[in-house]
């Protein structure tokens, strides 16, 4: 791939980088500057597309389309939590959910967890095959058990498609976010809204955030993740 | 015990309802149409939710339904030029004025992109798709998608550059 083709590919999709592109970025300062510019534009595009959603949309979708079930009382979340979830999501819309380049990574991590309050509510263990399958999409292999995973999804954070996972540990629920193609030179604290933790680099390939309630011990989870994860090298 | 049908549906609404509305809005560029599309799409999702075997594929599944529903209901009726509602173009009032202008400029530029550029861009942003995945969804080549995304972003970049004090802003070469 020559320089023109590389730039074309980087501008077209700055969040899914091929090994060849990563190597070129490491070696070429001008290309890195171009890439940073493409990332900045990507962040602005994300912000621009996040238009406000009608406040009653969720309620309408729940009641109109789910008529036969709407009269029952069982639900994933209790009513007061549903309200909190709705308020949180609407709040995020109102403040213009900050994506890549427009808020620090720690702030984005807190905002992201707040944006998905249901992630901390589920008791249902995620099938290990699903865990392995999603991890494989990111060239990650499980070489040791993770314990009880109660939430797992692919999500977009810091402008990249990553993994959002919640582990149910003896000390309570711990959120783990794995963000690919994100280098972290040092561990950075994450704090806000009753949540606390840190984000650190994982072999120069991922940023890994480990977040719990304030005061919750997290080192064990970090060790667990380090022991359990193997990053497959790309050809 | 796994979630039952209703719980799965509720989760789909909670997790993705907002984004699916936004997808419909950027495809149609009309809030009323977007509302219709997203409601029809969720009605279809409810009916066929048992076919959704992997909850982690839900967003992609919904996005496909919304895209097809929009095509089914409105694509043929679409006008060539659409004036975006000011409410849509307006950025949040709590952002700083310069940022607001930037977002407004970008929203206008996105709304004016040809469908062939706007659709892959919307799929990329809301679905987190790679070029290959978009190509698979749209049944075209990866290189075609890359070209469309490159041109879309190039046009948006030019729109931002044109907007920055008639050339006083830094103009970067695209190649």
């Amino acid at each position: 791939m020559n320089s023109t083709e590389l730039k074309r590919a980087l501008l077209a999709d700055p969040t899914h980088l091929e090994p060849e592109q990563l190597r070129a970025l490491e070696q070429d300062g001008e290309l890195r500057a171009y890439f940073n510019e493409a990332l900045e534009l990507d962040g602005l595009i994300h912000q621009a597309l996040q238009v406000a959603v009608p406040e009653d949309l969720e309620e309408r979708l729940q009641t109109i389309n789910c008529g036969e079930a709407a009269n029952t009382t069982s639900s994933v979340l209790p009513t007061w939590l549903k309200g909190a979830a709705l308020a949180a999501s609407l709040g995020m819309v109102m403040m213009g959910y900050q994506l890549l380049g427009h808020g620090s990574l720690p702030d984005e991590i807190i905002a992201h967890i707040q944006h998905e309050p249901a992630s901390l509510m589920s008791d249902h263990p995620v099938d290990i095959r699903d865990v392995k399958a999603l991890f494989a999409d990111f060239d990650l292999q499980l070489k040791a058990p993770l314990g009880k995973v109660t939430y797992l999804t692919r999500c977009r954070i810091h402008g990249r498609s990553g993994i959002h996972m919640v582990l149910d540990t003896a000390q309570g629920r711990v959120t783990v976010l794995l963000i690919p193609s994100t280098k972290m030179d040092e561990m950075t604290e994450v704090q806000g809204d009753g949540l606390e933790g840190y984000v650190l680099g994982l072999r120069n390939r991922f940023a890994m955030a480990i977040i719990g309630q304030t005061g919750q011990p997290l080192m064990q989870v970090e060790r667990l993740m380090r022991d359990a994860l193997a990053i497959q090298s790309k050809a | 015990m796994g979630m039952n049908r209703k719980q799965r549906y509720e989760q789909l609404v909670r997790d993705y309802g907002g984004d699916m509305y936004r997808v419909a809005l950027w495809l149609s560029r009309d809030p009323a149409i977007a509302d219709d599309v997203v409601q029809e799409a969720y009605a279809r999702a409810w009916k066929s939710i048992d076919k959704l075997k992997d909850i982690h594929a839900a967003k992609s599944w919904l996005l496909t339904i919304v895209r097809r529903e929009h095509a089914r209901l409105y694509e043929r009726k679409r006008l060539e030029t659409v004036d975006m509602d000011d409410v849509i173009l307006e950025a949040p009032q709590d952002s700083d004025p310069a940022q607001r202008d930037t977002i407004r400029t970008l929203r206008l530029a996105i709304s004016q992109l040809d469908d062939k550029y706007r659709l892959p861009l919307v799929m990329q942003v809301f679905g987190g798709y790679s070029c290959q995945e978009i190509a698979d969804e749209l049944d075209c080549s990866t290189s075609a998608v890359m070209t469309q995304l490159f041109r879309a972003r190039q046009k948006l970049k030019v729109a931002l550059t044109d907007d920055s004090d008639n050339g006083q802003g830094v103009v970067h070469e695209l190649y």
Side-chain angles (χ1 to χ4, degrees):
Chain A
M1 212 182 266
N2 64 32
S3 173
T4 300
E5 289 167 337
L6 276 169
K7 285 184 175 179
R8 194 178 178 84
L10 289 174
L11 185 64
D13 188 356
T15 58
H16 294 89
L17 301 182
E18 299 295 327
E20 183 184 359
Q21 294 169 319
L22 286 169
R23 278 196 298 275
L25 283 172
E26 279 174 13
Q27 293 163 5
D28 186 338
E30 189 209 341
L31 194 64
R32 270 200 304 279
Y34 182 89
F35 176 60
N36 288 333
E37 201 182 307
L39 280 178
E40 190 181 347
L41 177 66
D42 190 54
L44 288 171
I45 292 170
H46 275 80
Q47 270 194 290
L49 289 173
Q50 293 289 323
V51 292
V53 172
E55 289 191 12
D56 60 346
L57 178 73
E58 180 175 331
E59 193 183 347
R60 281 188 284 122
L61 293 179
Q62 295 285 15
T63 55
I64 292 172
N65 295 332
C66 201
E68 72 188 73
N71 296 325
T72 64
T73 53
S74 101
S75 171
V76 177
L77 297 177
T79 306
W80 66 272
L81 272 175
K82 271 186 181 174
L86 179 59
S89 62
L90 288 174
M92 291 313 299
V93 170
M94 293 306 288
M95 65 192 279
Y97 189 31
Q98 298 289 298
L99 286 163
L100 179 66
H102 298 279
S104 68
L105 180 57
D107 288 348
E108 282 187 41
I109 288 167
I110 294 293
H112 187 86
I113 296 171
Q114 288 173 326
H115 190 59
E116 294 188 37
S119 67
L120 294 167
M121 306 301 157
S122 171
D123 269 319
H124 175 57
V126 177
D127 191 313
I128 187 67
R129 287 169 299 187
D130 293 339
V131 178
K132 285 181 175 174
L134 183 58
F135 275 41
D137 287 348
F138 293 87
D139 298 308
L140 290 167
Q141 201 172 21
L142 272 185
K143 54 180 180 169
L146 282 174
K148 185 179 176 185
V149 177
T150 54
Y151 185 83
L152 181 78
T153 188
R154 182 191 290 262
C155 65
R156 192 167 183 86
I157 182 165
H158 207 53
R160 290 162 175 77
S161 177
I163 296 173
H164 183 166
M165 177 171 71
V166 175
L167 297 174
D168 192 4
T169 73
Q171 288 80 34
R173 302 283 163 87
V174 177
T175 298
V176 177
L177 299 173
L178 286 160
I179 309 158
S181 308
T182 305
K183 281 188 180 180
M184 296 290 296
D185 292 326
E186 56 187 6
M187 189 176 88
T188 305
E189 284 189 0
V190 177
Q191 201 169 28
D193 201 43
L195 298 170
E196 202 172 67
Y198 48 88
V199 55
L200 72 175
L202 202 61
R203 297 190 197 167
N204 285 333
R205 290 271 299 274
F206 291 81
M208 178 168 73
I210 301 175
I211 313 292
Q213 300 294 314
T214 302
Q216 195 174 350
L218 301 171
M219 290 293 288
Q220 279 181 328
V221 174
E222 184 194 337
R223 200 157 45 240
L224 177 77
M225 291 299 297
R226 287 188 181 282
D227 290 343
L229 285 182
I231 300 178
Q232 294 169 324
S233 56
K234 290 186 175 181
Chain B
M1 285 288 290
M3 285 190 288
N4 64 29
R5 200 164 181 267
K6 173 183 171 264
Q7 288 171 330
R8 279 156 66 89
Y9 176 82
E10 286 180 346
Q11 187 176 351
L12 295 186
V13 172
R14 266 198 315 275
D15 290 353
Y16 305 120
D19 271 357
M20 291 308 118
Y21 171 83
R22 294 186 182 102
V23 169
L25 181 65
W26 284 109
L27 295 185
S28 65
R29 296 168 290 176
D30 184 313
I33 291 176
D35 217 282
D36 284 352
V37 168
V38 79
Q39 293 209 52
E40 287 294 326
Y42 266 91
R44 277 182 189 273
W46 168 247
K47 282 177 195 161
S48 55
I49 198 163
D50 295 332
K51 292 179 188 165
L52 177 64
K53 300 299 179 199
D54 178 6
I55 194 71
H56 306 118
K59 191 171 189 180
S60 173
W61 181 68
L62 282 169
L63 206 150
T64 302
I65 297 175
V66 167
R67 193 164 54 78
R68 288 182 180 159
E69 203 58 29
H70 171 255
R72 193 178 71 82
L73 290 174
Y74 292 103
E75 211 160 44
R76 288 180 189 169
K77 299 179 189 172
R78 189 187 54 235
L79 299 172
E80 280 305 311
T81 54
V82 178
D83 291 328
M84 285 287 275
D85 193 316
D86 268 357
V87 175
I88 300 165
L89 294 177
E90 201 58 57
Q93 291 299 313
D94 56 356
S95 54
D96 74 74
Q99 182 78 352
R100 255 199 324 263
D101 287 348
T102 299
I103 295 302
R104 188 183 170 85
T105 300
L106 261 182
R107 286 183 176 172
L108 187 60
I110 292 168
S111 74
Q112 291 172 342
L113 287 174
D114 283 353
D115 289 356
K116 65 180 176 184
Y117 299 137
R118 202 171 61 256
L119 174 59
L121 186 71
V122 166
M123 290 175 72
Q124 184 185 47
V125 170
F126 287 107
Y129 291 124
S130 65
C131 291
Q132 173 72 59
E133 289 165 334
I134 295 170
D136 291 344
E137 279 285 314
L138 299 181
D139 198 21
C140 60
S141 72
T142 306
S143 62
V145 170
M146 189 177 286
T147 299
Q148 287 159 352
L149 285 170
F150 171 75
R151 289 189 180 152
R153 286 165 182 268
Q154 198 178 31
K155 285 170 187 285
L156 299 181
K157 200 170 176 179
V158 168
L160 284 179
T161 306
D162 287 348
D163 196 51
S164 61
D165 294 332
N166 295 323
Q168 284 181 34
V170 181
V171 180
H172 299 280
E173 290 299 323
L174 291 167
Y175 284 102

